[in-house]
Amino acid sequence: MIKILGAEQLRNICKEDLSTLQQFNGKEREHELIGQKRAEEALKLGLGIKADGFNVFVSGEDGTGKLTAVKMFLEKKVLAEPVPDDWCYVNDFQDAYQPKRLLLPAGHANALKKNMKTLIQEAVQSLIKVFESEEYTKRRQEISDMHEKKQVELSSKIEENAASQSLVIKQTPWEIFSVALKNGEPVTDQVFDALPEAEKQEIVQKQTRFADEISNMLKEQRKLEKEAMAAFEKLESEVASYAINALVDEIKTTYEQYPEVVAYLQAVRDDILSNLGAFLMSHKDNFAGTNSKGNNYLSRYEVNALIDNAGQTGAPIIIENNPTYNNLVGRVEKESVMGSLVTDFTMIRKGSLHQANGGYLIIRAAELFKNYFSWEALKRAIRNKEIMIEEAMDQLGYLTTKSLKPQPIPLQVKVILVGSPYYYHVLYAVDNDFKNLFKVKVDFNAEMERNVENTASYVGFLNSLGINESLARPDAEALKKIIEFGSRLAEDQHKLSTRFGRIADVLREANHYASAENATLIAGRHIQKAVEQKAYRSNLIQQKINEMIQEKQILIDIMGSKSGQVNALSVIDMGDLMFGKPNRITCTINLGKAGIVAIEREAEMSGPIHTKGVLILTGYLAEKFFQDKPVSLSARLVFEQSYAEVEGDSASSTELYALLSGLANIPIKQGIAVTGSVNQKGEVQAIGGINEKIEGYFELCKLMGLNGEQGVMIPSSNARNLMLKEEILDAVRHGQFNIWTVDSIDDGIEILTGIKAGKISEEGTVNGMVNKVLNGFFERMRSFEEGDEEELVKQNGHVRWVSDIAAQ
């Protein structure tokens, strides 16, 4: 059915009365997920189930506010959830390369760190004090005196034995030996050589026998020294234990409910007592300022408070904007000391998984897959329920520098990936782990119904935005313009777009224009200007194309009539702007058997959808005109002055109009541009970008002069998608421009030619004329096949008369 649309049908103007809009205005948004009932229910399910694998993938188009909505939804939910525990890393005194983890209640990690720092400081001071005390000095002197007395007694005894055998003990720095006495004087070498042989042998035998006594004496001396050292160590241990036990026991009482902490404190005590010398010497180095990271002995007693949830209210919500491997699972930092890289447990750094442990981690899928190792590390952590901090290259088995291997921290987190449907479908198809780990899909709709409730939500969103960003308040007319803009973004008169990012940007820009005018309210004209200026900043290419058409560099006729030629409408997407552009489609026809030939297809400049559309034309002609005869024509269709690939089927109806016009030799009104796809039954089907196409053609007609005969013919099913500029509405009201809707090819050809489509058997109708020409082609072709007429020559796929060739 043919219908010419009035201005009121070209845009769904917001007509809610002012009192209703004022009732909505001033309300803050009551629901975080505006117009997303399906998504809200799915999100509640995913966040409510604690079973393994029920992590969430939030899918939807960019600009629909997925991340913001999820965050706001969580902020309310987490208030009723417990604050997670703290985690610390401490030194393992048995194996420093495998630091131990400690679990503490929320807010206690830094407290333990502070307590340990105080403990070590007090231990040092206490030990210094006790070791400098008179009592310790007295007891140490007693041990020393006792040892010295035993040493003297042992020496006296050995000397007495030597004297009884006319020997004297001599000692050098490297040995102890005996020397014979004669007449109370030591026997020198000269004296010894002058002695009789028998006396010499007697002296040598005495010295040999006494050497064993000297050896026994030395053994006894070493034993006495060990006893003295043990006594000193025992004394030091007793004194140190007395000084330290009280300090450690005092802290133990604070953490007696946490066996791991108590065990660690006991290990600290034992290590200090086992290494008192190094402990006190390190203190002296610290005091002198000679310690560095690589040799600070006291750092082994520090606490690395990895996660401290002091001040946290409810479960944490962490948004990781840069999900690198290290940012997710943490890292072990290294420091250069004297040309070498050193590290210890105090240099272990947390990742976002640690921060979100016990709560929620939100990651943009697009950012996650930009970072190597991140996806596998995230899956491993979720699957194993633990966070393992290790070098990224360790996963590949490559040789790496020696580093720490901290004890893994148990993980309990709900991971929420936010991304486009593309990421969801690809992951679901190629990654089996994804199916098992992300079982809940939250699908955000890019549009919602345009009703009173959702309109109120729109106003509530705008009000909330204005409050948060200190924007001027939009008046009623401005609110109407934004609601209409929402329908334009949704490309539907009865829906509103949920791409709140775009909506918010319009309000922000309108606020700028209002501020420039010192206006207290944002008016409708400010919203209109924001929308128009956004397009103006990006439409230079469109302007250049229209200028080329006006200057006849690109040939487009918008006046008069021609057969076999129609103006189709296409859309050019520049990323930040989509605009419509007219394309001339022409058709040439002659007798032959090639059927319909798309020149773009032959030149390999046709996409598959466009090729399909051209093949559908053959089906349409076959059903309507070739039921009683074979195909006897060759027709060539082409997008003139097209130098890139042609894709899409929105021009298939236009190509069919050009074909019918060419066959019947009936001129088509060039002022009417056409868009719409077609099926084999001749029904005109809806296409996309309808507003951009109409507005683009209108801009060209306005540039070259409106005459009242120009317009655009669209599918009837696209009428609800019209949200045209008010400039076009004014032109339609004044009869300067027209919009027609059609259901079928018969409707369209009647508008384009002014001749009734009719049936193929009716004289004077378009279909009757086409059928008559095709019958003539068939009869002429049959006569050639019978040899009664001039010979038919086929050259380069085209059929031409021999007489025509001769004439050339």
Side-chain angles (χ1 to χ4, degrees):
M1 183 177 66
I2 300 172
K3 185 177 181 181
I4 185 166
L5 300 182
E8 70 281 356
Q9 297 171 289
L10 305 181
R11 182 184 182 92
N12 186 1
I13 296 175
C14 185
K15 296 179 180 178
E16 282 86 350
D17 60 45
L18 186 60
S19 60
T20 305
L21 285 175
Q22 287 177 330
Q23 180 183 356
F24 296 154
N25 199 10
K27 284 187 177 181
E28 293 197 15
R29 190 158 39 123
E30 298 178 355
H31 306 288
E32 291 84 356
L33 305 184
I34 300 176
Q36 304 288 353
K37 183 179 179 181
R38 182 195 306 271
E40 186 171 355
E41 291 178 355
L43 193 57
K44 286 180 179 178
L45 173 71
L47 300 180
I49 295 180
K50 302 301 182 183
D52 295 345
F54 281 85
N55 295 292
V56 177
F57 191 102
V58 179
S59 171
E61 294 182 13
D62 291 340
T64 52
K66 304 182 294 295
L67 184 62
T68 302
V70 170
K71 181 183 176 183
M72 295 183 70
F73 186 89
L74 284 173
E75 285 174 346
K76 182 179 179 180
K77 182 179 186 301
V78 298
L79 295 177
E81 298 182 5
V83 178
D85 295 326
D86 294 347
W87 287 100
C88 300
Y89 273 117
V90 295
N91 186 31
D92 185 342
F93 299 106
Q94 303 301 317
D95 185 358
Y97 284 98
Q98 297 190 44
K100 289 184 175 181
R101 68 183 185 229
L102 289 181
L103 176 67
L104 291 165
H108 284 63
N110 280 325
L112 177 62
K113 180 178 181 178
K114 182 179 179 181
N115 289 339
M116 283 303 301
K117 184 177 181 180
T118 302
L119 170 65
I120 298 304
Q121 291 174 344
E122 291 180 349
V124 169
Q125 299 300 324
S126 180
L127 288 174
I128 292 174
K129 182 178 180 180
V130 76
F131 285 136
E132 291 179 351
S133 66
E134 292 184 3
E135 178 65 24
Y136 172 75
T137 303
K138 179 181 177 182
R139 292 182 61 182
R140 187 177 179 85
Q141 187 62 46
E142 289 176 355
I143 295 172
S144 179
D145 292 345
M146 185 182 297
H147 170 69
E148 186 176 349
K149 180 180 179 182
K150 289 181 179 180
Q151 290 281 15
V152 170
E153 289 176 353
L154 181 63
S155 297
S156 298
K157 183 179 180 181
I158 197 70
E159 288 176 356
E160 289 175 1
N161 289 341
S164 67
Q165 300 180 47
S166 299
L167 296 173
V168 65
I169 302 299
K170 295 290 183 179
Q171 184 172 353
T172 68
W174 57 86
E175 66 177 339
I176 298 176
F177 58 92
S178 63
V179 177
L181 295 174
K182 188 174 181 66
N183 300 323
E185 295 293 333
V187 176
T188 64
D189 290 344
Q190 292 84 357
V191 174
F192 182 80
D193 290 340
L195 293 175
E197 190 63 31
E199 190 173 352
K200 287 182 182 180
Q201 290 181 357
E202 182 182 358
I203 290 174
V204 170
Q205 288 175 356
K206 285 194 298 184
Q207 287 178 324
T208 302
R209 287 194 302 270
F210 199 75
D212 292 337
E213 292 188 30
I214 292 174
S215 177
N216 291 335
M217 180 198 73
L218 293 175
K219 290 180 181 178
E220 189 66 23
Q221 283 183 334
R222 286 193 291 270
K223 181 179 178 182
L224 289 175
E225 288 175 355
K226 288 181 180 179
E227 289 177 356
M229 185 63 67
F232 284 136
E233 289 179 354
K234 182 180 179 182
L235 174 62
E236 289 179 355
S237 179
E238 289 177 355
V239 172
S241 295
Y242 173 79
I244 292 176
N245 283 347
L247 299 175
V248 174
D249 290 343
E250 183 180 354
I251 297 182
K252 278 185 180 180
T253 57
T254 306
Y255 300 98
E256 58 186 0
Q257 297 180 353
Y258 311 103
E260 290 183 351
V261 179
V262 172
Y264 168 68
L265 293 172
Q266 187 62 39
V268 170
R269 171 194 174 280
D270 294 342
D271 188 75
I272 293 175
L273 295 178
S274 300
N275 301 278
L276 280 172
F279 184 83
L280 293 174
M281 183 60 68
S282 183
H283 166 70
K284 293 180 180 179
D285 292 340
N286 282 342
F287 184 78
T290 58
N291 260 341
S292 63
K293 186 68 180 177
N295 59 14
N296 184 3
Y297 185 84
L298 294 183
S299 65
R300 65 196 276 115
Y301 304 112
E302 293 180 12
V303 172
N304 183 347
L306 194 72
I307 293 295
D308 186 283
N309 287 307
Q312 175 73 34
T313 303
I317 304 170
I318 302 300
I319 300 176
E320 180 52 73
N321 293 316
N322 183 26
T324 63
Y325 174 82
N326 288 332
N327 285 353
L328 278 177
V329 302
R331 63 172 65 81
V332 178
E333 294 180 345
K334 296 179 177 63
E335 186 177 90
S336 179
V337 177
M338 302 295 290
S340 299
L341 293 176
V342 298
T343 188
D344 60 32
F345 72 96
T346 64
M347 300 178 75
I348 299 173
R349 299 293 178 255
K350 64 190 174 186
S352 52
L353 282 169
H354 296 98
Q355 294 175 282
N357 201 1
Y360 303 89
L361 176 60
I362 305 174
I363 306 174
R364 291 181 177 89
E367 296 298 325
L368 179 65
F369 294 109
K370 289 179 183 178
N371 293 284
Y372 201 50
F373 294 127
S374 294
W375 174 235
E376 292 300 326
L378 179 63
K379 290 193 298 180
R380 188 182 303 109
I382 297 173
R383 185 170 53 245
N384 298 336
K385 299 181 182 178
E386 64 179 20
I387 312 169
M388 174 73 77
I389 301 177
E390 59 183 351
E391 298 284 350
M393 299 307 292
D394 286 349
Q395 300 183 46
L396 299 179
Y398 293 160
L399 181 64
T400 60
T401 58
K402 189 174 183 180
S403 185
L404 304 182
K405 190 176 182 180
Q407 191 176 6
I409 289 180
L411 177 66
Q412 183 180 359
V413 68
K414 184 74 71 172
V415 178
I416 303 169
L417 291 183
V418 180
S420 67
Y422 169 80
Y423 284 106
Y424 180 85
H425 294 306
V426 169
L427 288 169
Y428 201 88
V430 303
D431 193 328
N432 289 328
D433 290 333
F434 178 76
K435 302 174 185 178
N436 298 323
L437 298 177
F438 291 85
K439 297 180 179 179
V440 179
K441 179 184 181 183
V442 177
D443 212 349
F444 269 64
N445 196 349
E447 59 189 26
M448 60 184 179
E449 293 297 323
R450 181 171 162 177
N451 53 35
V452 173
E453 179 183 359
N454 289 336
T455 300
S457 296
Y458 244 56
V459 175
F461 165 77
L462 296 170
N463 178 70
S464 177
L465 178 69
I467 294 173
N468 294 334
E469 300 188 11
S470 301
L471 305 178
R473 178 182 170 187
D475 65 14
E477 188 63 27
L479 292 174
K480 291 180 180 181
K481 292 295 183 184
I482 293 180
I483 291 168
E484 292 170 16
F485 179 71
S487 290
R488 170 60 186 258
L489 283 181
E491 295 187 280
D492 196 309
Q493 294 182 355
H494 308 294
K495 294 186 182 295
L496 290 170
S497 173
T498 58
R499 296 163 64 186
F500 292 107
R502 289 286 303 276
I503 302 297
D505 286 344
V506 168
L507 187 64
R508 294 181 183 114
E509 188 169 342
N511 178 74
H512 169 76
Y513 297 133
S515 298
E517 297 178 5
N518 294 321
T520 57
L521 295 176
I522 298 175
R525 68 178 184 278
H526 299 134
I527 299 296
Q528 188 66 30
K529 184 176 180 180
V531 174
E532 291 174 352
Q533 287 298 308
K534 173 68 169 63
Y536 174 74
R537 291 192 295 269
S538 303
N539 72 352
L540 180 60
I541 298 297
Q542 180 184 13
Q543 180 182 337
K544 294 294 184 183
I545 291 174
N546 287 342
E547 289 176 359
M548 294 174 72
I549 295 174
Q550 188 179 26
E551 295 167 0
K552 302 297 183 181
Q553 294 179 351
I554 297 176
L555 300 178
I556 298 291
D557 292 328
I558 63 170
M559 298 179 185
S561 300
K562 289 186 180 179
S563 62
Q565 178 176 302
V566 188
N567 288 329
L569 295 174
S570 62
V571 171
I572 296 179
D573 189 350
M574 303 295 294
D576 59 341
L577 177 71
M578 290 174 58
F579 62 89
K581 172 184 175 295
N583 297 90
R584 174 184 286 182
I585 293 179
T586 62
C587 176
T588 61
I589 299 169
N590 65 277
L591 179 64
K593 291 187 177 181
I596 300 174
V597 176
I599 293 178
E600 279 79 21
R601 181 185 179 189
E602 298 300 314
E604 298 183 351
M605 295 174 63
S606 173
I609 299 177
H610 175 255
T611 298
K612 176 188 175 184
V614 173
L615 294 175
I616 286 174
L617 305 187
T618 302
Y620 172 80
L621 292 178
E623 181 175 78
K624 192 155 192 170
F625 299 105
F626 293 113
Q627 294 295 311
D628 56 352
K629 52 186 172 292
V631 176
S632 306
L633 85 157
S634 292
R636 289 153 298 281
L637 292 167
V638 68
F639 280 72
E640 301 288 0
Q641 294 183 282
S642 174
Y643 307 105
E645 182 182 77
V646 175
E647 180 60 313
D649 64 350
S650 65
S652 57
S653 65
T654 313
E655 291 172 314
L656 186 50
Y657 294 134
L659 180 61
L660 294 175
S661 169
L663 280 168
N665 197 26
I666 300 173
I668 284 179
K669 301 172 184 177
Q670 297 299 292
I672 302 176
V674 180
T675 187
S677 67
V678 66
N679 61 26
Q680 293 187 109
K681 302 298 183 180
E683 297 170 321
V684 179
Q685 303 166 144
I687 44 81
I690 191 68
N691 293 294
E692 289 80 5
K693 290 177 178 180
I694 295 174
E695 290 172 355
Y697 188 64
F698 175 80
E699 290 294 330
L700 177 63
C701 292
K702 183 176 69 171
L703 181 65
M704 300 181 70
L706 295 169
N707 59 14
E709 297 180 358
Q710 297 146 340
V712 178
M713 188 169 67
I714 66 172
S716 296
S717 50
N718 276 127
R720 68 173 292 155
N721 305 118
L722 296 175
M723 285 296 295
L724 297 172
K725 295 178 179 178
E726 294 184 2
E727 183 182 14
I728 298 179
L729 273 62
D730 291 337
V732 169
R733 289 190 188 99
H734 293 90
Q736 297 175 307
F737 198 73
N738 305 283
I739 307 292
W740 294 272
T741 61
V742 296
D743 293 317
S744 66
I745 292 297
D746 286 350
D747 294 339
I749 198 67
E750 185 173 332
I751 294 174
L752 291 170
T753 62
I755 300 175
K756 185 179 179 181
K759 298 181 179 179
I760 61 174
S761 59
E762 292 183 78
E763 292 286 339
T765 63
V766 175
N767 287 328
M769 295 178 190
V770 171
N771 192 54
K772 183 177 180 180
V773 170
L774 292 175
N775 285 335
F777 279 2
F778 169 65
E779 293 297 332
R780 201 70 179 273
M781 181 64 75
R782 185 169 61 177
S783 66
F784 279 118
E785 290 175 350
E786 293 173 353
D788 293 338
E789 296 290 343
E790 298 176 87
E791 182 183 0
L792 200 64
V793 178
K794 188 173 184 180
Q795 296 179 350
N796 297 328
H798 300 291
V799 178
R800 295 191 290 172
W801 300 109
V802 172
S803 57
D804 292 340
I805 297 173
Q808 294 178 7

